[in-house]
Amino acid sequence: MKNRTTAKKDERTDMIAHSVADQLRLIDRAVITLTRSTEALLRATDENSLLEDICRVAVDVAGYRLAWVGYARHDAPLSVTPVAVAGRGRAYLDEISVSWADHNLGHGPTGSAIRTGMAQVVHDMETDPRFAPWRDNARAYALRSALALPLGQENERLGALTIYAAEPDAFDPDVIRLMEDVARNLTYGIGALRMKAEHERAVRDLAESEERYRSLVELTPDPILVHSQGTIVFANHAAAKVFAAPGKRLLGLPLLELLHEEAREEVGRLIKRPPTQRRVSEYRMKRLDGSEFEAEIAATTITFHGLPARILVIRDVTDRKQVHQQLVQTAKLATLGEMAAGLVHELSQPLNIMRLTAEGALLFIERGKATPEWQAEQFQQIADQAQRTAEIIDDIRIFSRRDTSPVLVFDALAAVSSALGVLAGQLRPDEITLVTDLPPHPVLVRGRPVQLEQVVMNLLSNAHHALKEKRERETPDSNWCASITISARLSGHNLVVTVSDTGPGIPPTVRARVFEPFFTTKEAGRGTGLGLSVSFGIIAAMGGRLEVLDQGPGACFAITLPIDEEGTLVSEELKDRSLTATAEIDGHIMVVEDELTAGETLARYLQELGYRVTVCTSGNQAYESFMADPADVVITDLRMPAGGGEQLVEKLRDFDPLMPIVIVTGHLGATERLAENLQDDRCAVLKKPVPLGRLADIIATFLKPPAD
């Protein structure tokens, strides 16, 4: 009896010992997995290697049957895809489908762990009903228990680490706690490696971006400069070539040294207060060898070596501007050609009045019926009509010549009025009413006044042609009523000038193409298709826009220009005045004019004032005569055979730098200037026809003795 009791005690002792040994073996396997996975985590260089190492540790070192990591997909079935696996049951994963959705394929340990974020245990696959979909496959690979550990934090569901054992009940609470540490460490490692990979990718992308930027900057044919507070801190190879600066001579230079003097004040203000947005401007720039070129500069703010800076992309537009000027000139000449018949009518009117007045005066004088007062009135009328003719010719002369004048601040309404003056007379014969609504005060804009006149004249000419074509198409019994309206108004910081007509209008299919070069709806030979295209470019260069408005029965064009609120109007030159000389001063006057009748007529007037006058018909003759008998004042034309006026002036100035000279010419427009060597207070310029009173006043001023 005693032996039997002792035997039972020994059996219980052995069972407890075996149970403790089994428990220690399970814990030891989990501890080994935790320890060696931590070592793998410290050695890991990439995410895939880490996952493979963790699975190998669980199988090869700790002795589990199968281990795999599955990542949760966000596809329609919410599938779980194996990304790392180790163990003798690898083929098991190829045979099963696992999901983390809330249905039978998602109720296994892996899907439940991902979905709930909690560890899931299957103590015995033979009896656990949740494992029914995979039981037969697991039996084939001798799998009896499983532990699935979620990977991820809170709402972030990365996937799960699932470990299988060959025996049931391989995962008790102590083992689960140790294995949860493995999952937490693995989650941390995945996050750290992804951050590292993202950082390396960002560094690589940044390096590639910098390399692309460097290549783009260095290979672009356009100069690129970076300046910080006006000092150049970077220049590409194209900049060194364009600015004639070998090596790194541009670095450290003030940006203003590369700009023409007239642009430095404006650019200096921009350097002190950089614009917040991208800015495109045109300036004249200087190379280090002193040569100049027209440049279009696109500028924006960047950070350069940690400091705020401005990057400038510079393009030489000298050739482009020359081509544009040629197009402008072509369009102007085309406009003049279209207006030729009307201009002939405009000139014939004052000439007809002058002839009628002169012949009528001669008739009355022959019959003794012309009183001195009446004769004076007739001659004044002839003088007034001559002035009217001169103004028409002057407007045409200014308009037709190539415009190389500088950009300046001018009165836009004065330019509009000047264009109206040229074309208004052409509308009356066609019974077209011109309606104007312009503000009475000046409105200052920046640009070239002649070019704005060109745009307005082109719009008026197009409206004129449209109305004439409409009249030709209408039946004789129809009531003809045609008008062109030009108005101007202020809109915020802009001036809006509209030109509208009562013509047939612009069809919608044509409206989108009216500003295309060489597009025209006129008959062959009546239009070049350049007028509106060039006008569009002119207004755009002034910082404005030219557009077609959809209003009224006819066509309506609007010119919008920014007002220059800080500019000042350049004072106009003194206009020609009809003055009668009241003081006669003795002096010798030389008149140089290849048109002998004009020279002799002028000489008789000056002789009547008491001057001694010598008349010459060429520059060479005048110089020889002057050396033989020097004159006190020389009045000369510019263009003459056998020695022109400019050569004569140069010779006379070499002889006497203070020689008083009056230049009379028909080849200068009202806004054109003489060469620099002729611009001084001892030289005056008059346009033909010459106002004699003004000429007498100038001569008297030249001959007046200096005040004591």
Side-chain angles (χ1 to χ4, degrees), residues 125-296:
M125 298 176 183
E126 293 293 338
T127 59
D128 194 326
R130 297 175 301 168
F131 207 78
W134 308 279
R135 183 173 292 130
D136 293 340
N137 301 89
R139 187 183 295 125
Y141 292 96
L143 306 177
R144 285 294 298 273
S145 59
L147 172 63
L149 303 161
L151 301 177
Q153 298 176 351
E154 297 179 358
N155 296 329
E156 184 185 14
R157 299 286 184 259
L158 291 178
L161 167 63
T162 306
I163 301 174
Y164 298 85
E167 69 277 10
D169 297 318
F171 305 99
D172 62 13
D174 292 330
V175 172
I176 293 173
R177 282 193 294 271
L178 290 171
M179 299 303 284
E180 285 178 336
D181 289 340
V182 173
R184 279 191 290 269
N185 290 345
L186 181 56
T187 296
Y188 169 79
I190 293 172
L193 290 172
R194 287 187 175 183
M195 289 180 61
K196 177 184 176 183
E198 184 67 26
H199 174 72
E200 291 176 349
R201 183 163 51 251
V203 171
R204 184 173 60 255
D205 292 345
L206 178 61
E208 292 176 356
S209 176
E210 289 180 348
E211 183 63 27
R212 288 194 299 269
Y213 165 76
R214 187 178 299 109
S215 300
L216 177 64
V217 168
E218 293 299 343
L219 293 177
T220 181
D222 292 329
I224 296 179
L225 299 177
V226 177
H227 75 87
S228 179
Q229 296 180 346
T231 300
I232 298 173
V233 294
F234 172 82
N236 67 345
H237 291 310
K241 181 178 179 180
V242 169
F243 287 99
K248 298 183 178 180
R249 289 179 57 192
L250 288 174
L251 300 184
L253 281 179
L255 177 65
L256 295 182
E257 289 191 10
L258 301 181
L259 290 160
H260 191 272
E261 287 77 4
E262 65 184 19
R264 290 181 180 177
E265 182 178 354
E266 179 181 350
V267 176
R269 291 196 302 268
L270 294 175
I271 291 175
K272 293 180 180 178
R273 294 188 296 274
T276 56
Q277 298 178 342
R278 178 177 177 270
R279 177 186 174 94
V280 179
S281 306
E282 289 188 4
Y283 298 105
R284 178 170 285 275
M285 302 197 77
K286 295 175 61 176
R287 301 181 178 88
L288 295 189
D289 60 8
S291 60
E292 299 178 354
F293 66 97
E294 296 289 340
E296 180 184 77

Side-chain angles (χ1 to χ4, degrees), residues 171-437:
F171 305 99
D172 62 13
D174 292 330
V175 172
I176 293 173
R177 282 193 294 271
L178 290 171
M179 299 303 284
E180 285 178 336
D181 289 340
V182 173
R184 279 191 290 269
N185 290 345
L186 181 56
T187 296
Y188 169 79
I190 293 172
L193 290 172
R194 287 187 175 183
M195 289 180 61
K196 177 184 176 183
E198 184 67 26
H199 174 72
E200 291 176 349
R201 183 163 51 251
V203 171
R204 184 173 60 255
D205 292 345
L206 178 61
E208 292 176 356
S209 176
E210 289 180 348
E211 183 63 27
R212 288 194 299 269
Y213 165 76
R214 187 178 299 109
S215 300
L216 177 64
V217 168
E218 293 299 343
L219 293 177
T220 181
D222 292 329
I224 296 179
L225 299 177
V226 177
H227 75 87
S228 179
Q229 296 180 346
T231 300
I232 298 173
V233 294
F234 172 82
N236 67 345
H237 291 310
K241 181 178 179 180
V242 169
F243 287 99
K248 298 183 178 180
R249 289 179 57 192
L250 288 174
L251 300 184
L253 281 179
L255 177 65
L256 295 182
E257 289 191 10
L258 301 181
L259 290 160
H260 191 272
E261 287 77 4
E262 65 184 19
R264 290 181 180 177
E265 182 178 354
E266 179 181 350
V267 176
R269 291 196 302 268
L270 294 175
I271 291 175
K272 293 180 180 178
R273 294 188 296 274
T276 56
Q277 298 178 342
R278 178 177 177 270
R279 177 186 174 94
V280 179
S281 306
E282 289 188 4
Y283 298 105
R284 178 170 285 275
M285 302 197 77
K286 295 175 61 176
R287 301 181 178 88
L288 295 189
D289 60 8
S291 60
E292 299 178 354
F293 66 97
E294 296 289 340
E296 180 184 77
I297 303 176
T300 190
T301 300
I302 63 169
T303 300
F304 188 82
H305 290 237
L307 297 175
R310 296 279 288 177
I311 183 170
L312 312 178
V313 180
I314 303 167
R315 177 163 296 175
D316 187 341
V317 295
T318 304
D319 293 340
R320 189 180 76 187
K321 291 179 74 69
Q322 290 177 351
V323 171
H324 176 71
Q325 290 173 0
Q326 291 172 357
L327 286 176
V328 171
Q329 184 68 9
T330 301
K332 285 198 293 186
L333 296 179
T335 302
L336 282 177
E338 295 174 3
M339 298 188 309
L343 292 175
V344 169
H345 177 268
E346 285 293 294
L347 289 173
S348 64
Q349 289 288 74
L351 290 174
N352 183 54
I353 296 174
M354 284 188 283
R355 180 166 186 171
L356 292 176
T357 304
E359 292 184 355
L362 289 174
L363 178 62
F364 273 67
I365 291 172
E366 289 176 358
R367 296 184 178 184
K369 296 181 179 181
T371 64
E373 293 79 7
W374 184 84
Q375 293 182 44
E377 291 177 1
Q378 302 308 300
F379 287 125
Q380 184 61 51
Q381 183 167 322
I382 293 174
D384 292 341
Q385 294 303 314
Q387 179 62 26
R388 176 184 171 187
T389 305
E391 291 173 355
I392 296 173
I393 294 174
D394 199 42
D395 285 336
I396 298 170
R397 186 167 47 209
I398 296 170
F399 178 75
S400 61
R401 77 178 190 274
R402 187 178 298 276
D403 187 10
T404 58
S405 60
V407 173
L408 49 83
V409 177
F410 68 96
D411 180 10
L413 299 181
V416 172
S417 299
S418 178
L420 292 175
V422 175
L423 287 177
Q426 299 189 30
L427 304 178
R428 287 190 295 270
D430 293 315
E431 300 180 20
I432 298 174
T433 303
L434 180 62
V435 181
T436 60
D437 182 14

Side-chain angles (χ1 to χ4, degrees), residues 528-593:
T528 63
L530 285 174
L532 286 176
S533 174
V534 170
S535 297
F536 185 89
I538 290 173
I539 299 302
M542 295 175 66
R545 63 181 185 274
L546 174 61
E547 55 192 336
V548 183
L549 300 183
D550 187 11
Q551 64 182 47
C556 182
F557 288 83
I559 304 169
T560 302
L561 293 173
I563 299 173
D564 194 313
E565 298 175 343
E566 298 181 358
T568 56
L569 189 64
V570 178
S571 60
E572 297 183 356
E573 295 181 353
L574 289 176
K575 294 185 177 181
D576 297 340
R577 296 172 293 154
S578 297
L579 300 178
T580 302
T582 56
E584 299 176 4
I585 304 174
D586 292 337
H588 178 200
I589 311 298
M590 177 175 286
V591 176
V592 188
E593 171 61 67

